[in-house]
Amino acid sequence: MAKEKLKVGLALGGGGARGLAHIGVLKVLERENIPIDLITGTSMGAIIGAVYALKKDISAIEKITEKYSKISEFNIDLSFSEKERKDKPFFLKRMSDFLKKGYILNLELRRKYINDGEGLRKVIEELVNNKTFEDTQIPFAVVAADLVKGEKVIIRRGKLFDALLASTSIPGMFPPVILDKKILVDGGIVDVVPIEVAQSLGANFVIAVSVSQTIKKRAEFSNAVEIFFRSDSITSAELRKLQLSFADVVITPKVGRFHWSDFSKPEQCVREGEIAAQNAILELKKKMKKVKPSWWKRLFY
């Protein structure tokens, strides 16, 4: 059977600060001359994917680390022990106290969001300005979740700002985004690493980058809220495992030690991305040979 023409899709997953590892992965892929024909992204993966798709410039996406380290509303941690919450911002303590003390039914939590997300809006606006999907040098798609229909939404047209804001709007944390009569929130709740989206756009070889934390063994739970969040994490992990099985190569930077809201160690996250990508490069090239046409060999040899 004749080999089909290679079309590589890069699927960048969500994960907050851990998503900065995508920058390191892109550095290696570029250095190793791995072609990227299209990019799909969720949440932080969408932001980094958008900036790279616009300029195909590593230095441009490296600036993301500096911008994100300056917005305080990302310094959030939903841990519940006093030791874990020590020295965290007031916003974090307020959020954790609401949950820990059973304020889920409190009148104050009838609000649609806790933070107005102005810092997030400013960062995204600075990164993509008024650019649209049509301005990208690499075909690009963003994943968000529609609260009305309860389904995944793939955004490929219009302003990048609107799509990125929707894909990063953590439910309950930041305001939902109204777009095309849809109420959109963080795409991570439906598709943490948008592999299937890349395939639907024509990719016949998908490189997935997952920066989500793995489930660690835990024996004790202090309250109902901890059990609730633990159960939700298990469900998400199993769904993620199933979705990742459809990728040709999965790159998994070791960023589990960083909290998703902690942007204070960007260089370390980027470095973990580089290490993971370099470790996967031989497998990646080997698998690509099985799909690529013969003329493509000269990119490697």
Side-chain angles (χ1 to χ4, degrees):
M1 185 176 71
K3 292 180 180 178
E4 60 182 318
K5 185 176 180 180
L6 185 72
K7 190 170 184 179
V8 180
L10 179 63
L12 303 178
R18 299 182 188 120
L20 296 176
H22 294 317
I23 298 172
V25 172
L26 281 164
K27 280 185 174 183
V28 173
L29 296 181
E30 190 173 273
R31 185 168 65 237
E32 296 289 339
N33 292 318
I34 303 299
I36 300 173
D37 297 297
L38 62 91
I39 300 174
T40 58
T42 295
S43 201
M44 179 57 76
I47 289 177
I48 292 176
V51 177
Y52 189 74
L54 276 171
K55 301 182 179 180
K56 295 181 68 173
D57 180 7
I58 290 296
S59 62
I61 61 174
E62 286 185 311
K63 294 178 182 178
I64 294 175
T65 61
E66 180 182 353
K67 291 183 182 297
Y68 265 90
S69 65
K70 294 179 180 178
I71 54 177
S72 61
E73 59 256 56
F74 273 99
N75 296 319
I76 304 162
D77 189 344
L78 296 185
S79 54
F80 297 97
S81 71
E82 293 300 320
K83 181 179 180 181
E84 288 176 319
R85 297 194 296 116
K86 187 178 180 180
D87 297 326
K88 293 292 183 180
F90 172 75
F91 174 73
L92 151 65
K93 294 178 180 179
R94 185 165 176 262
M95 175 68 175
S96 294
D97 287 343
F98 274 145
L99 297 176
K100 187 176 180 180
K101 295 177 181 178
Y103 285 170
I104 292 178
L105 298 180
N106 189 283
L107 292 176
E108 187 159 352
L109 284 187
R110 290 183 181 178
R111 296 164 56 189
K112 293 181 179 179
Y113 52 87
I114 296 171
N115 189 285
D116 63 12
E118 279 304 308
L120 174 62
R121 294 175 64 91
K122 184 177 180 180
V123 168
I124 294 175
E125 188 173 24
E126 289 178 357
L127 289 171
V128 298
N129 297 311
N130 291 316
K131 300 293 185 180
T132 67
F133 282 84
E134 290 70 25
D135 294 320
T136 61
Q137 296 186 46
I138 302 173
F140 176 62
V142 169
V143 173
D146 181 10
L147 291 179
V148 176
K149 293 186 177 180
E151 63 185 20
K152 175 169 59 182
V153 174
I154 302 171
I155 309 174
R156 298 183 61 194
R157 296 179 179 81
K159 290 186 176 181
L160 286 168
F161 173 83
D162 294 332
L164 298 182
L165 188 63
S167 188
T168 55
S169 292
I170 303 170
M173 194 72 67
F174 299 126
V177 174
I178 310 299
L179 191 64
D180 297 330
K181 298 182 179 180
K182 298 180 178 68
I183 302 178
L184 303 178
V185 294
D186 196 312
I189 69 175
V190 287
D191 202 352
V192 179
V193 187
I195 298 162
E196 185 183 9
V197 176
Q199 293 170 332
S200 71
L201 299 182
N204 55 11
F205 191 95
V206 179
I207 304 168
V209 186
S210 175
V211 293
S212 298
Q213 187 175 20
T214 56
I215 294 290
K216 296 180 181 179
K217 186 176 180 180
R218 181 175 176 179
E220 297 182 0
F221 302 92
S222 303
N223 51 59
V225 175
E226 288 188 357
I227 293 173
F228 171 78
F229 276 100
R230 176 68 171 183
S231 301
D232 183 67
S233 295
I234 292 171
T235 300
S236 298
E238 289 301 307
L239 174 60
R240 182 169 63 250
K241 189 186 303 181
L242 174 62
Q243 292 174 337
L244 288 173
S245 69
F246 291 98
D248 294 279
V249 172
V250 179
I251 298 175
T252 311
K254 295 181 179 179
V255 288
R257 67 184 183 278
F258 306 112
H259 191 271
W260 66 266
S261 69
D262 183 6
F263 284 82
S264 66
K265 304 176 181 66
E267 295 84 4
Q268 293 180 38
C269 286
V270 172
R271 180 56 184 157
E272 288 296 343
E274 289 186 73
I275 293 171
Q278 197 61 58
N279 288 341
I281 204 69
L282 291 179
E283 176 196 7
L284 175 57
K285 290 182 178 181
K286 182 178 179 180
K287 288 187 175 182
M288 290 178 80
K289 285 182 183 179
K290 297 179 181 179
V291 186
K292 69 181 180 66
S294 58
W295 58 262
W296 199 75
K297 286 185 178 181
R298 65 176 177 268
L299 288 176
F300 285 148
Y301 305 104

